[in-house]
């Protein structure tokens, strides 16, 4: 949906906006009675978060951009989506020790990725990063950590958001020292970032 209200009308657009508020999606669902909901989960994070707590809905499919939810009484033979199964399907296996070695050994570099882009293709794991963010929203921090760690392995140390998201996942897992290391490396790539600075300041008291 976009902001050209002459297409869908003011009323419908207002309903859509209201659905982003806490509990707002439930009202929209009650009105239109869907049996399936498809969404671009990183563009509609409030919907993804609300659906996690809507007990009569289950997540049945996820890829790097879209998620599909079904009512619990619809197509009951289709199982609910499993984040740990996602890692198995994609053959992502990295234990904590391997992740620590990878994170500790990867040097942040703002310029290496830029310069290398002139003479060889760059790898940016969009799909893994998107899936990792959804895992964070669903509070499956182990899966999120594995997806972000694999993103780091593929892309190298040139991206702030990979280190930052790894830091967040590790903090949620109460791996405070590893989370701090990730955030410090993120700050090297984006000096002065207020969110990173605030999180690091909070860690000083832990």
């Amino acid at each position: 949906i976009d902001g050209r209200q002459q297409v869908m009308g003011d009323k419908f657009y207002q309903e859509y906006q209201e659905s982003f508020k806490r509990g707002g999606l439930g009202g929209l669902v009650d009105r239109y009675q869907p049996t399936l909901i498809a969404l671009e989960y990183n563009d509609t994070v409030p919907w993804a978060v609300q659906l996690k707590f809507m007990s009569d809905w289950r997540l049945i499919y996820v890829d790097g951009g879209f998620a599909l939810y079904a009512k619990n009484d619809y197509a009951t033979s289709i199982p609910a989506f499993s984040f740990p199964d996602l890692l198995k399907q994609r053959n992502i296996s990295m234990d904590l020790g391997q992740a620590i070695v990878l994170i500790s050994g990867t040097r942040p570099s703002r310029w290496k990725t830029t310069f290398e882009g002139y003479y060889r293709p760059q790898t940016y794991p969009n799909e893994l990063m998107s899936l990792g963010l959804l895992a964070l929203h669903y509070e499956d921090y182990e899966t999120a950590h594995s997806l972000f760690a694999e993103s780091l392995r593929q892309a190298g140390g040139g991206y702030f958001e990979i280190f930052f998201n790894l830091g967040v996942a590790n903090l949620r897992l109460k791996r405070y020292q590893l989370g701090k290391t990730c955030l410090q490396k993120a700050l090297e790539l984006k000096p002065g970032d207020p969110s990173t600075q605030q999180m690091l300041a909070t860690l000083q008291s832990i």
Side-chain angles (χ1 to χ4, degrees):
I1 189 169
D2 66 27
R4 288 173 287 188
Q5 296 180 35
Q6 64 269 32
V7 177
M8 75 285 296
D10 292 345
K11 184 178 179 182
F12 184 78
Y13 188 75
Q14 183 63 33
E15 286 180 345
Y16 176 71
Q17 291 295 310
E18 291 293 320
S19 73
F20 285 157
K21 296 179 181 178
R22 185 175 182 178
L25 181 59
L28 203 62
V29 167
D30 289 342
R31 176 165 186 174
Y32 291 98
Q33 294 291 308
T35 53
L36 294 168
I37 298 175
L39 55 87
E40 270 189 288
Y41 53 82
N42 282 330
D43 289 336
T44 51
V45 171
W47 277 24
V49 171
Q50 290 180 70
L51 279 160
K52 177 181 183 293
F53 296 101
M54 293 169 66
S55 59
D56 52 343
W57 289 84
R58 72 191 191 281
L59 178 62
I60 60 172
Y61 172 81
V62 174
D63 61 25
F66 288 87
L68 182 63
Y69 297 79
K71 287 208 74 172
N72 283 339
D73 59 357
Y74 178 82
T76 55
S77 62
I78 301 175
F81 175 81
S82 164
F83 282 102
D85 286 349
L86 171 71
L87 297 179
K88 294 177 185 176
Q89 292 163 8
R90 290 172 177 265
N91 198 28
I92 296 173
S93 177
M94 188 182 304
D95 62 31
L96 180 58
Q98 292 172 315
I100 290 172
V101 170
L102 173 67
I103 293 165
S104 301
T106 304
R107 295 181 58 186
S109 173
R110 286 184 289 170
W111 308 115
K112 183 174 182 289
T113 303
T114 301
F115 289 134
E116 285 184 349
Y118 288 109
Y119 60 88
R120 73 179 188 185
Q122 295 298 292
T123 298
Y124 187 84
N126 278 303
E127 191 171 29
L128 292 178
M129 291 293 289
S130 292
L131 291 166
L133 289 171
L134 184 63
L136 275 184
H137 298 321
Y138 268 71
E139 299 179 356
D140 189 327
Y141 303 126
E142 285 287 1
T143 297
H145 173 266
S146 296
L147 290 165
F148 293 139
E150 177 62 18
S151 297
L152 180 63
R153 187 190 69 77
Q154 291 186 17
Y159 300 100
F160 162 85
E161 61 274 20
I162 295 180
F163 282 117
F164 181 85
N165 290 330
L166 261 173
V168 171
N170 278 292
L171 293 181
R172 295 290 187 269
L173 290 164
K174 299 184 179 180
R175 299 170 185 161
Y176 297 120
Q177 189 55 51
L178 187 56
K180 182 179 179 180
T181 298
C182 293
L183 292 176
Q184 288 171 333
K185 294 192 176 211
L187 202 59
E188 288 184 48
L189 291 166
K190 196 173 180 181
D193 180 71
S195 297
T196 309
Q197 288 180 325
Q198 184 177 6
M199 294 173 79
L200 284 170
T202 303
L203 285 171
Q204 299 304 320
S205 61
I206 297 176

